[in-house]
Amino acid sequence: MIELLEKSLDELQNLFESYEIPKFRGKQLIDYIYHRHIFDFQEMTQFPKELRQWLIEHCSISLPTVVTESVAPDGKTKKLLLQLADSSRIEAVLMKQHYGNSVCVSSQVGCAMGCVFCASTQGGLFRDLTVAEIVSQVLLFAQLEGEDIHSLVVMGAGEPLQNYDNVLKALQLIHEPTVFNISYRKMTISTCGWVPNIYKLADEGLPITLALSLHATTNEVRRTIMPVGAYHALDEVLEAVHYYYERTQRRVTFEYILIDGVNASFKEAHQLGEIGKKFPNCHINLIPVNGNEHIDLYKPSNENMNTFKDIVSSYGLSVTIRKEMGDAIQAACGQLKVAHGRKEEIHE
Ligand code: SF4
């Protein structure tokens, strides 16, 4: 079967042409899927009966099933636990920001990276997501909300740069004017520091924002909480990020999770300030660790987090402490899946 959620308008038109179907049907089909949210070929009544039958026999639109939908009490964050065709589960998050709707998608089922503060990696990597599985996370939110999606972050489960080709193709589709029309400037890829593909992405020449999950200021601490640190030393990662900045001129974001007693001392705040100074206009996003019954880590006190922030800011840097928008619905990556899996285990 031909998966339609992996096809650009050009690809669809070429496909139709090769089957002697008028090219303009490609645009109509895209409109049905991405704007009218009609996924049943029988309901595409603008198409002649023969074309509907041809679509039924040759094509599919593979949308995941929504297992659970959780909404934070303020209504601004919504998280979907989704089941894929092979019964794998992933999650996607919608955040209603003042500038519009932002969707955070997963790029893999599970993750091989093993970061100690992350629930997504607890069962290891199961598989990469397909292009359609990445695109469909955005499509489901657009359908559920009945609203446009303005920005996209690839920051859910998985290391996006390990699923490079599918992530890139998905972003190219999402960018298409006839699909979601989201500018590359409103897309962010978050990486834990997969160095070779940071260079590769830089050379694509697309103005996508890169967010580096830094989380430590020394190799010793980084290796303790992020096993990827054993493959790529901090200097090597920062050099790749610098190359990315030079090629794209995009402001780099550093993600820094604050874990009490691990990486949140005031000395480390100064070290973080020194690192940030080397990246013009960079932004530093401090994230209080989202500990729970599966992750035995704790955030520093509010007072210490504010002092940490003030120290980093004193280096002339833009620093924020991430609003814990999703806390109430367990919206740190992987947590909903873990919580749901647990519930099933208990009920079995
Ligand atoms: S934080 Fe990201 S890279 Fe690290 S284990 Fe979780 S999903 Fe993977």
Side-chain angles (χ1 to χ4, degrees):
M1 292 295 255
I2 299 160
E3 177 50 62
L4 295 178
L5 296 184
E6 306 208 336
K7 298 281 178 221
S8 65
L9 177 59
D10 276 356
E11 287 167 339
L12 260 186
Q13 289 176 333
N14 292 340
L15 175 79
F16 279 5
E17 225 176 6
S18 70
Y19 283 91
E20 295 178 0
I21 298 165
K23 267 172 91 167
F24 73 92
R25 297 292 186 198
K27 172 85 172 57
Q28 287 179 319
L29 184 52
I30 293 260
D31 194 49
Y32 268 127
I33 297 172
Y34 294 103
H35 302 288
R36 298 167 70 179
H37 304 136
I38 293 175
F39 309 123
D40 181 342
F41 298 125
Q42 290 290 18
E43 289 177 26
M44 299 182 178
T45 48
Q46 259 179 304
F47 292 162
K49 217 171 154 193
E50 303 73 43
L51 177 54
R52 279 183 265 157
Q53 192 55 36
W54 183 87
L55 288 165
I56 290 168
E57 284 165 17
H58 294 86
C59 300
S60 56
I61 300 171
S62 305
L63 283 171
T65 312
V66 178
V67 181
T68 54
E69 184 180 330
S70 322
V71 185
D74 65 3
K76 287 187 177 161
T77 308
K78 187 176 279 187
K79 182 159 180 162
L80 300 180
L81 176 64
L82 303 172
Q83 181 151 314
L84 307 174
D86 65 354
S87 297
S88 299
R89 288 178 173 189
I90 56 166
E91 54 261 304
V93 179
L94 174 90
M95 291 154 287
K96 288 184 178 286
Q97 311 276 18
H98 63 277
Y99 50 80
N101 291 319
S102 179
V103 169
C104 172
V105 297
S106 293
S107 57
Q108 295 180 311
V109 181
C111 183
M113 296 293 104
C115 305
V116 298
F117 45 81
C118 173
S120 298
T121 198
Q122 289 182 351
L125 173 67
F126 184 60
R127 68 172 173 84
D128 286 338
L129 293 188
T130 64
V131 174
E133 287 166 343
I134 298 168
V135 171
S136 62
Q137 295 172 61
V138 184
L139 181 54
L140 276 176
F141 275 123
Q143 181 199 18
L144 280 171
E145 298 301 304
E147 291 173 8
D148 287 345
I149 307 298
H150 297 88
S151 61
L152 178 75
V153 290
V154 191
M155 212 179 263
E159 165 50 55
L161 296 187
Q162 279 212 322
N163 185 15
Y164 187 90
D165 291 342
N166 288 351
V167 167
L168 189 64
K169 171 98 198 259
L171 297 194
Q172 285 165 338
L173 273 179
I174 289 164
H175 169 73
E176 280 210 359
T178 50
V179 180
F180 292 108
N181 197 22
I182 300 179
S183 128
Y184 287 122
R185 289 176 185 278
K186 292 187 176 153
M187 296 184 184
T188 300
I189 292 184
S190 171
T191 177
C192 66
W194 201 247
V195 168
N197 287 349
I198 294 177
Y199 285 104
K200 198 170 167 184
L201 186 64
D203 290 338
E204 302 284 353
L206 301 173
I208 294 170
T209 300
L210 187 71
L212 175 71
S213 295
L214 182 61
H215 304 321
T217 55
T218 63
N219 281 313
E220 292 67 36
V221 175
R222 199 160 193 266
R223 277 198 294 262
T224 316
I225 57 175
M226 299 177 74
V228 68
Y231 295 95
H232 300 296
L234 200 48
D235 280 356
E236 204 189 323
V237 175
L238 293 173
E239 207 176 305
V241 173
H242 210 273
Y243 179 82
Y244 191 89
Y245 168 73
E246 281 179 344
R247 287 304 302 256
T248 62
Q249 292 297 303
R250 296 293 294 156
R251 174 192 210 209
V252 170
T253 295
F254 292 106
E255 307 283 344
Y256 195 98
I257 202 156
L258 289 168
I259 312 173
D260 197 30
V262 175
N263 66 351
S265 69
F266 298 150
K267 182 179 168 198
E268 282 157 314
H270 284 286
Q271 289 168 337
L272 182 56
E274 291 291 344
I275 290 174
K277 254 178 27 182
K278 297 177 188 150
F279 293 84
N281 303 320
C282 76
H283 178 73
I284 295 180
N285 193 16
L286 302 173
I287 308 160
V289 71
N290 201 352
N292 58 30
E293 76 243 53
H294 313 293
I295 299 173
D296 194 17
L297 300 169
Y298 301 94
K299 62 186 176 188
S301 65
N302 285 344
E303 193 188 341
N304 283 354
M305 287 196 288
N306 285 330
T307 307
F308 192 99
K309 174 178 178 271
D310 290 344
I311 293 170
V312 183
S313 299
S314 72
Y315 285 77
L317 301 170
S318 149
V319 190
T320 47
I321 299 179
R322 184 188 283 177
K323 276 192 286 173
E324 294 164 80
M325 286 180 87
D327 250 14
I329 58 161
Q330 297 181 304
C333 60
Q335 288 191 25
L336 188 63
K337 191 172 61 176
V338 172
H340 197 78
R342 268 294 178 88
K343 224 180 277 166
E344 284 183 352
E345 274 166 33
I346 292 163
H347 290 161
E348 269 169 12

